[in-house]
Amino acid sequence: TMKRRQLVIHCLGASNTQSSICGRDGERFLYTQEINYPALLQKKLDCTVRNYGVGGCNIARQEGRQDSYVERYPLMEDGADVVLVQGTGNDVALGVPLGTLEDTVDTTYYGALKALVDGLYDKYPRAFILLITGMTREKDRERYEQYTQAMLDVARLKAVPVLDMYHHGMMNPQIPAIKERRIADGTHMTLEGLELYTAQVIGFLRQVGALED
């Protein structure tokens, strides 16, 4: 019998796709790019995972920089079976306008997400295009809530599955025990956080039919 062709997964994201917390030096957290959720995914699923995480970048295009998701996705290699788009808090933190679901520009959060989903379907018409919201935040909850809702709205509009880590990710830094163990600086994951995150992503991949058992 022929061996099933190895699954290829592309992970598009920002710092939580690129890196993780590996320790601390007094008050300062230490980060590594050696350990991240795509690396764990590759290890656990024994498949090819390409990491397109760039720390500090937005989904939306912003003046003066070229590292947004909408500018980077065309540069990704062809031939992905699954594309996981990890939502980012950077659009909130760096002041990208929220916009509305009707937007057709890629400089608002709504507009950029719509353009990104359409563009990914053009590039990978047979792939599973999957969205993952950003994680729960400690501060400025109302704004993060709005941008999370925007991703849920776009997912509904485009009929794209979405993993809602913001509301149900078990990574709430407002709960001290959770913060300390899983999301120590309030934004980025520890190894324990990554293990849980990766397990949830694998469950999500199964749920949408992207993984053959």
Side-chain angles (χ1 to χ4, degrees), residues 59-210:
I59 290 178
R61 187 189 298 268
Q62 232 180 357
E63 218 176 302
R65 44 194 303 182
Q66 283 87 45
D67 59 359
S68 70
Y69 293 25
V70 288
E71 288 162 289
R72 289 194 294 120
Y73 85 81
L75 310 174
M76 299 198 305
E77 283 187 53
D78 292 333
D81 302 299
V82 176
V83 181
L84 288 164
V85 178
Q86 188 185 46
T88 167
N90 297 320
D91 290 83
V92 182
L94 298 169
V96 167
L98 181 63
T100 71
L101 197 54
E102 285 69 48
D103 285 354
T104 54
V105 292
D106 61 8
T107 49
T108 68
Y109 191 70
Y110 268 108
L113 259 178
K114 284 168 59 183
L116 180 62
V117 170
D118 289 346
L120 287 171
Y121 271 130
D122 274 347
K123 188 170 170 64
Y124 307 107
R126 298 184 61 206
F128 287 84
I129 308 299
L130 306 172
L131 302 178
I132 308 175
T133 70
M135 286 176 296
T136 322
R137 294 302 183 115
E138 267 180 300
K139 303 178 182 76
D140 216 4
R141 285 286 293 257
E142 208 171 302
R143 286 198 71 217
Y144 283 103
E145 190 75 51
Q146 288 178 320
Y147 285 68
T148 300
Q149 189 56 52
M151 181 174 273
L152 300 178
D153 290 346
V154 170
R156 196 176 296 125
L157 178 74
K158 300 290 184 186
V160 169
V162 60
L163 179 61
D164 187 351
M165 292 296 294
Y166 190 90
H167 295 106
H168 308 290
M170 298 182 271
M171 300 263 190
N172 187 347
Q174 291 185 316
I175 302 170
I178 296 292
K179 181 178 182 178
E180 188 186 339
R181 301 182 70 95
R182 299 176 185 168
I183 188 161
D185 66 357
T187 312
H188 302 97
M189 290 178 276
T190 60
L191 184 56
E192 182 177 319
L194 276 184
E195 293 277 2
L196 175 64
Y197 191 93
T198 306
Q200 291 185 84
V201 170
I202 292 171
F204 180 47
L205 292 173
R206 283 226 159 81
Q207 187 193 325
V208 300

